[in-house]
Amino acid sequence: MTQRLGISFHEIGLLVTALTHRSYAAEHGVESNERLEFLGDSVLDLLVAEELYRQHPEMEEGMLSINKAALVNEKALEQVALRWDVGALAIMSHGEESAGGRKRRAMLADTVEAIIGAYYLDAGLDACRYFVLREIPVTTADTHGEAWHDYKTELQEFCQSRYHETPHYKPIREEGPSHERTFVVATIFQGKNLGSGSGKSKKEAEQAAAKVALGKLSEEK
């Protein structure tokens, strides 16, 4: 795996954890990659945002957000995972594998983020920056395509411009078996629940919740 990634780990256990799906972790009493995914998501956002900021001094905040969202969404990270052959290397339960878990977009994208989080802990921010920008070239997005449908970005811009505040997302519950999990997330703004959304991944659920919230706030104009 490290040869395919073109990097090395001082603590190989971090990479093993990054590849460990929650289905396997639950069966064997080991740590899953979910905490590393959380960390990697933040590191990835930071590094891509930083590079967009440096490359495009003329670009306003709204367009920076749109381009960042297009570069780090699940579809984009799925392509990275396919290059790395993450599906074959992921450590998961037999049940999850039998249910097609190795091909699930959410699993692939989450594992990429977990690997980034693991490498950040192992090698530090500078090495991680070089690795991420080599693997995910920061280019401007096709703003007539999928990026325009990023409801989280649209909601953030709406709230910031109108109320000078931004929303956050609160996990409500998870439903279904591990191989067919559904996440439910609520959009919280100014202490109020503006509606919830569900999806096969946390990111998909957040997008659905943001769409509901955007509709409600738009009606209040």
Side-chain angles (χ1 to χ4, degrees), residues 151 155 158-159 167-169 186-189 192-197 206-220:
Y151 293 104
L155 179 62
F158 180 89
C159 292
H168 68 276
Y169 300 89
T187 303
I188 307 298
F189 183 63
K192 299 178 181 178
N193 184 339
L194 294 183
S196 61
E206 289 174 355
Q207 288 286 350
K211 183 178 181 180
V212 172
L214 189 62
K216 287 186 177 181
L217 289 177
S218 298
E219 291 174 0
E220 297 176 2

Side-chain angles (χ1 to χ4, degrees), residues 163-217:
Y163 302 102
H164 305 290
E165 297 180 45
T166 55
H168 68 276
Y169 300 89
K170 180 180 179 181
I172 302 300
R173 62 184 180 276
E174 298 180 22
E175 303 170 336
S178 62
H179 64 275
E180 199 66 36
R181 187 78 72 186
T182 296
F183 297 87
V184 180
V185 172
T187 303
I188 307 298
F189 183 63
Q190 295 183 332
K192 299 178 181 178
N193 184 339
L194 294 183
S196 61
S198 63
K200 296 302 181 183
S201 69
K202 295 173 187 175
K203 291 182 178 63
E204 185 177 308
E206 289 174 355
Q207 288 286 350
K211 183 178 181 180
V212 172
L214 189 62
K216 287 186 177 181
L217 289 177

